[in-house]
Amino acid sequence: MSKTKNILIVGVGGQGTLLASKILGQVALLSDLDVKQSEVHGMAQRGGSVITYVRLGEKISSPLIEKKEADIIIAFEKLEGIRWLDYLKEDGTIIINDQEIYPMPVIIGAADYPENIFEKLEKSSNKTIKVNGHELAKGLGETRALNVILLAVAAKLLPFEKEVWEKALVDMVPKKALEINQKAFELGWNL
Amino acid sequence: MNIIKKELLSGNEAIARGAYEGGLKAAAAYPGTPSTEILENISKYQEVYVEWSPNEKVAAEVAIGASFAGARALTSMKHVGVNVAADPLFSFAYTGVNGGFVLISADDPGCHSSQNEQDNRYYAKFMKIILVEPSDSQEAKDFTKNAFDMSEQFDMPVMVRTTTRISHSKGMVTLEDRKEIPLKPYKQNVQKYVVMPAQARRLRVTLEERLEKAGEFSEIFPGNKIEGNGKEFAIITSGVGANYAREALGDRATYLKLGMTFPLPKKMVTEFIEKHKTVYVIEEGEPFLEEQIKALGLNVIGKELFPNMGELTATMIREILLNEPAKKNQDLFRAEDTPIRPPVLCPGCPHRGVYRVIRRIKNATDAIVTGDIGCYTLGVLAPLNALETCICMGASVSAAIGFKQMMPDRKVIATIGDSTFLHSGVTGLMDAVYNKAAITLIILDNSITGMTGHQQNPSTGFTIRNEPTYKVDLEQMVRACGVQHVFKAKAYDFKGVEAAIEKAIGINDVTVVITEQPCVLIEKKKEIVTCQINSENCQDCQVCLRLGCPAISKQGDGTIAIDQTMCNGCSLCIQVCNFDAIERVGGTNE
Ligand SMILES: Cc1ncc(C[n+]2csc(CCOP(=O)(O)OP(=O)(O)O)c2C)c(N)n1
């Protein structure tokens, strides 16, 4: 892999964005690449907006991805996807889960949830991949499999063999959740 | 053959690993983001004695005692924790160590999870102890491990200073084996271990001598080194700033990358500056390096170009040094149309109902409500709007006393969590009783240290390794302080909480209300009960929305719905509903 890949994973605290970044890190390790990832703990995990940065390449200095540097954004929630859109490269891809989680200002009527998010994204220079992740995960009987479904969609855009991903899953997913996550990966990979 | 083992570790995991490899025997800490995972990871190594202490001062003192006993010892805390532990640490610099001693200070530039942004590197200089600043996980491991040797060699505590982006970023780390280091012999030695004035004056002198030797070592410390040989820029840098500098300038610059920044390697710095026409100092936070360098009479450029607050970024360095134009934002979605998503109390959080009651009582009686630090600080946000102050851990109680003494006609209510009460609230309560400040203290007991991710504390009945232990009985403790009026209520019982607080504030004396309910996240229940709207009865009055529960929201068509995947069945919404329009579904909650 000659060029560094920058992947942002964004969502709402508690949505399980951390497993996806763990698996990505393991893929890098298995591929003998350098990797840095940075995540948020503490306050924001209480239902706030959360972000994980993952960078893979020959030699990585900064743990952060800055504006217009992300090759891929994996957004677990629509509003969070557009919140971080400034970070996507002009020709980057946003993988966006079709789910709305209202933030408190919307719940109490102090703000409106943005409308027509997908329609607007269609007009941008970025590539947009819309995923019905929540429904798909429900179909598997495990809503928490959402993260691996979304990750598998991203996996298709990254220069690693499917076997490497499968090995990383085995390494990083707790045994009792492995089978369902393998199914989730298969599902996302074949979307 | 030696198999090189590499792992992807966060800075905090790497610090734990480095301490372990370095022969650590005792570790004590009080949780605080971004430091918490250091002790949690150390607790996995059975060779080490570990404890959550009630606060940072106790933690530091436990580790100091262990060092005196001859063990390699460590204490870790967030930046503001060092304020609490500063008292023992300053004097400990005088006595010096027996077993090597490492203090981890995890700072939080940008205030991701903190009440302030303080650059604790100044503490090392102020305390006159060695300071090392790792810039990634590998250095976090190596420096921590080295720090024990340095501590013993120079007879002083060593501060390892990290920041959020070091502590919570992962990078590749090469693992090594643990060095088993026996306890050093302990001999009674009042000349060394007792800081009475006459001895303190003598130790004060030796401290300077020890520091001077450490300064000589700084010149050969392997983490102080020149990197690259770019011709366009000469950079002196440390910590996370070094990563951003390399990211921005790559091989266009030559770097003096400093790992040990107090005492500074003066010769090395001087030679570097003499060799280059213009030298920039790139450091996140305050001008700690810059001031020391300028004090040597040398010329560098630093904070006149770079900000001293918030986090540094590579983009910033490119804009400032390379004149790169600022990146344009996308124009599909304007920031002002993108609602913020502040953190919230979780669905089913036991604090919610208590603050709802407090808000009502506050409005009805014009009471002043002081707050403290923990998940319950979120009671300040809309729609609860219940709190009006938050300073530091414990201040809710003591500040309430000040309010009450100056405004005797107003009701004053202080609110605090169980962990925070034990950390530093109880001393304030003694003061309230002693000096007769008729405040009402509400202890929100959720049986855990919640905000920092569920750590045990002296009132939970479990140790860091989840072994059962004695627990502080909060009611008895409060009574032992001299409080005559103590009320208890279950936090989900709206009416009960209301009755208890109303009774308490009606008494013209110090009163305490303890609301009890374990944090909803501690244990996910097997049989999940949820609350659901009965749309036939619902009048869309929205009173339930004013609880600020993230699971309850108004739909596009104006009706109210409860998200069944989020709801934890706490039943507060059932209790506030005036139309019997919310019901429980699913199994029993018992
Ligand atoms: C001196 C200091 N140490 C540590 C912290 C980090 N911290 C913030 S809140 C908190 C504990 C909160 O626990 P508790 O009082 O039980 O309230 P909960 O979050 O469970 O509601 C800690 C450790 C801090 N802010 N200041």
Side-chain angles (χ1 to χ4, degrees):
Chain A
M1 203 169 88
S2 56
K3 285 193 74 180
T4 298
K5 289 283 180 202
N6 293 332
I7 301 139
L8 266 189
I9 306 174
V10 300
V12 178
Q15 266 192 312
T17 49
L18 294 185
L19 179 66
S21 72
K22 262 192 176 164
I23 297 169
L24 266 167
Q26 187 64 11
V27 165
L29 194 85
L30 293 172
S31 313
D32 248 335
L33 287 175
D34 194 13
V35 59
K36 283 218 173 122
Q37 61 191 56
S38 186
E39 51 202 39
V40 195
H41 299 215
M43 195 85 170
Q45 281 175 309
R46 298 277 169 270
S49 140
V50 294
I51 178 162
T52 303
Y53 309 80
V54 185
R55 310 191 64 205
L56 320 164
E58 298 301 330
K59 178 82 194 107
I60 308 290
S61 295
S62 169
L64 299 187
I65 297 165
E66 299 181 18
K67 276 190 185 165
K68 297 262 188 265
E69 289 183 352
D71 296 284
I72 300 173
I73 293 181
I74 306 176
F76 280 54
E77 199 271 351
K78 280 158 67 179
L79 172 59
E80 294 313 310
I82 62 170
R83 187 187 311 287
W84 297 99
L85 204 55
D86 291 336
Y87 284 68
L88 196 58
K89 285 181 179 167
E90 299 288 346
D91 59 350
T93 302
I94 177 163
I95 298 164
I96 187 161
N97 182 30
D98 188 6
Q99 189 181 1
E100 294 183 358
I101 300 177
Y102 290 172
M104 201 44 67
V106 171
I107 290 181
I108 62 173
D112 294 318
Y113 197 94
E115 286 178 354
N116 306 325
I117 288 179
F118 287 127
E119 289 75 1
K120 281 192 183 168
L121 279 174
E122 289 299 324
K123 291 190 205 129
S124 74
S125 63
N126 307 125
K127 197 167 165 237
T128 304
I129 303 178
K130 172 177 161 180
V131 183
N132 250 325
H134 194 68
E135 291 307 310
L136 291 169
K138 247 196 203 157
L140 288 173
E142 177 52 271
T143 49
R144 280 177 297 182
L146 168 70
N147 47 20
V148 172
I149 297 177
L150 293 175
L151 180 67
V153 178
K156 293 272 279 203
L157 307 175
L158 290 165
F160 304 105
E161 300 296 325
K162 192 170 174 219
E163 292 72 49
V164 183
W165 291 97
E166 287 167 343
K167 173 89 177 46
L169 272 180
V170 174
D171 292 346
M172 301 319 283
V173 178
K175 273 223 170 57
K176 60 180 195 299
L178 183 59
E179 200 187 318
I180 189 81
N181 279 299
Q182 284 169 328
K183 279 193 193 143
F185 189 86
E186 220 32 62
L187 186 69
W189 185 269
N190 293 317
L191 276 181
Chain B
M1 197 187 79
N2 238 340
I3 301 169
I4 299 173
K5 201 162 169 241
K6 273 192 166 185
E7 260 184 49
L8 191 59
L9 299 183
S10 71
N12 282 349
E13 290 167 327
I15 287 170
R17 177 74 198 187
Y20 168 75
E21 290 178 4
L24 180 72
K25 277 205 158 42
Y30 181 72
T33 315
S35 74
T36 312
E37 304 82 9
I38 297 170
L39 199 73
E40 287 176 334
N41 279 288
I42 290 176
S43 77
K44 294 174 190 157
Y45 301 117
Q46 298 303 324
E47 294 92 332
V48 183
Y49 169 76
V50 274
E51 67 160 60
W52 284 131
S53 310
N55 66 32
E56 291 86 352
K57 179 174 183 291
V58 173
E61 290 158 348
V62 168
I64 288 171
S67 158
F68 286 171
R72 291 199 157 185
L74 171 149
T75 183
S76 56
M77 54 198 69
K78 72 182 282 158
H79 57 324
V80 288
V82 182
N83 301 338
V84 178
D87 193 14
L89 292 169
F90 271 89
S91 299
F92 184 41
Y94 278 42
T95 67
V97 306
N98 187 19
F101 181 101
V102 174
L103 159 68
I104 314 281
S105 169
D107 297 5
D108 190 16
C111 302
H112 290 279
S113 290
S114 304
Q115 63 265 43
N116 76 3
E117 187 182 63
Q118 63 184 45
D119 190 331
N120 273 9
R121 296 180 299 171
Y122 286 96
Y123 260 126
K125 187 161 180 276
F126 195 7
M127 291 173 182
K128 296 180 175 280
I129 63 176
I130 292 173
L131 167 66
V132 292
E133 290 185 64
S135 67
D136 59 18
S137 295
Q138 182 70 53
E139 283 189 349
K141 196 205 81 167
D142 295 342
F143 288 7
T144 306
K145 191 172 174 178
N146 293 343
F148 288 102
D149 293 329
M150 287 154 71
S151 170
E152 287 174 8
Q153 187 179 349
F154 301 104
D155 193 13
M156 62 170 68
V158 174
M159 178 195 277
V160 177
R161 188 261 196 173
T162 82
T163 53
T164 299
R165 301 298 185 185
I166 307 291
S167 281
H168 289 167
S169 292
K170 292 190 177 183
M172 294 294 182
V173 178
T174 309
L175 305 187
E176 291 154 297
D177 293 333
R178 173 176 168 88
K179 268 193 299 193
E180 207 51 70
I181 296 182
L183 285 190
K184 288 173 102 187
Y186 167 75
K187 279 197 301 291
Q188 183 175 335
N189 180 357
V190 292
Q191 308 292 325
K192 179 173 168 67
Y193 297 127
V194 179
V195 284
M196 281 157 67
Q199 270 144 220
R201 283 192 287 272
R202 190 180 44 73
L203 291 168
R204 174 76 185 83
V205 178
T206 71
L207 175 55
E208 254 6 272
E209 293 161 3
R210 286 175 272 157
L211 210 52
E212 198 172 310
K213 292 212 184 83
E216 286 160 20
F217 176 78
S218 193
E219 306 286 349
I220 55 165
F221 177 69
N224 290 340
K225 57 183 181 215
I226 293 178
E227 291 177 351
N229 56 1
K231 298 282 177 285
E232 288 174 66
F233 298 96
I235 307 291
I236 298 179
T237 183
S238 72
V240 78
N243 300 320
Y244 302 139
R246 286 189 209 109
E247 184 73 32
L249 306 173
D251 47 21
R252 297 170 70 170
T254 302
Y255 307 87
L256 176 57
K257 153 81 173 70
L258 297 178
M260 179 169 167
T261 51
F262 190 79
L264 204 67
K266 291 180 188 161
K267 269 208 257 47
M268 199 178 215
V269 169
T270 308
E271 280 167 22
F272 185 79
I273 292 173
E274 280 168 354
K275 256 197 224 128
H276 296 94
K277 214 167 91 220
T278 311
V279 176
Y280 298 91
V281 177
I282 298 184
E283 57 185 324
E284 192 172 82
E286 302 289 349
F288 178 74
L289 299 176
E290 184 184 342
E291 284 171 1
Q292 290 190 72
I293 296 169
K294 285 185 172 163
L296 296 172
L298 300 167
N299 206 2
V300 287
I301 301 173
K303 295 298 170 187
E304 59 258 58
L305 293 183
F306 299 99
N308 70 341
M309 52 185 118
E311 293 188 281
L312 205 61
T313 62
T315 303
M316 226 179 251
I317 298 170
R318 283 193 206 103
E319 280 172 24
I320 293 169
L321 292 185
L322 305 177
N323 289 319
E324 273 189 16
K327 296 262 169 48
K328 277 225 306 277
N329 288 344
Q330 47 82 28
D331 48 17
L332 289 175
F333 302 93
R334 295 181 312 166
E336 53 272 34
D337 299 336
T338 312
I340 55 164
R341 189 185 299 274
V344 284
L345 295 174
C346 305
C349 175
H351 300 331
R352 176 172 288 107
V354 180
Y355 277 118
R356 180 63 204 266
V357 170
I358 292 173
R359 211 258 324 258
R360 198 194 59 66
I361 290 178
K362 174 176 159 58
N363 289 349
T365 64
D366 201 24
I368 289 162
V369 183
T370 61
D372 220 299
I373 304 200
C375 289
Y376 53 92
T377 314
L378 296 170
V380 72
L381 300 179
L384 293 169
N385 302 320
L387 294 179
E388 42 200 309
T389 69
C390 170
I391 296 290
C392 68
M393 294 191 76
S396 61
V397 193
S398 352
I401 298 170
F403 265 113
K404 186 68 189 176
Q405 303 292 21
M406 294 302 105
M407 304 165 105
D409 299 336
R410 299 275 292 270
K411 305 268 179 218
V412 182
I413 301 174
T415 60
I416 198 167
D418 49 322
S419 185
T420 305
F421 178 67
L422 294 173
H423 177 280
S424 48
V426 63
T427 37
L429 184 62
M430 289 174 210
D431 184 46
V433 174
Y434 173 51
N435 287 305
K436 298 188 180 168
I439 61 166
T440 294
L441 170 64
I442 300 175
I443 303 177
L444 299 119
D445 179 9
N446 62 354
S447 301
I448 205 81
T449 315
M451 177 90 272
T452 42
H454 298 117
Q455 290 75 34
Q456 304 295 345
N457 70 50
S459 74
T460 65
F462 293 94
T463 68
I464 184 171
R465 291 198 171 114
N466 280 322
E467 290 147 6
T469 183
Y470 299 106
K471 63 182 192 186
V472 171
D473 181 324
L474 293 176
E475 181 182 352
Q476 278 192 45
M477 186 182 204
V478 163
R479 289 196 188 279
C481 289
V483 178
Q484 305 296 320
H485 318 276
V486 185
F487 305 90
K488 277 191 173 180
K490 294 281 166 217
Y492 286 159
D493 173 11
F494 226 78
K495 288 270 172 306
V497 171
E498 198 162 50
I501 300 179
E502 274 180 348
K503 241 188 260 161
I505 63 166
I507 298 170
N508 190 24
D509 195 357
V510 183
T511 53
V512 172
V513 177
I514 303 173
T515 61
E516 295 177 318
Q517 177 67 42
C519 169
V520 65
L521 298 183
I522 294 181
E523 216 177 294
K524 281 277 173 197
K525 298 177 194 80
K526 288 219 177 64
E527 259 191 293
I528 296 172
V529 180
T530 57
C531 301
Q532 223 171 49
I533 303 281
N534 173 339
S535 51
E536 277 176 25
N537 290 1
C538 182
Q539 309 290 314
D540 298 330
C541 74
Q542 306 191 8
V543 69
C544 54
L545 282 185
R546 291 201 285 275
L547 284 169
C549 175
I552 313 176
S553 60
K554 195 165 82 175
Q555 303 307 103
D557 61 2
T559 62
I560 308 292
I562 299 178
D563 184 326
Q564 295 299 299
T565 61
M566 288 172 125
C567 175
N568 283 311
C570 75
S571 87
L572 281 181
C573 53
I574 298 180
Q575 296 178 59
V576 296
C577 179
N578 297 314
F579 301 99
D580 280 338
I582 308 180
E583 52 207 28
R584 286 176 161 231
V585 291
T588 60
N589 221 358
E590 301 314 320

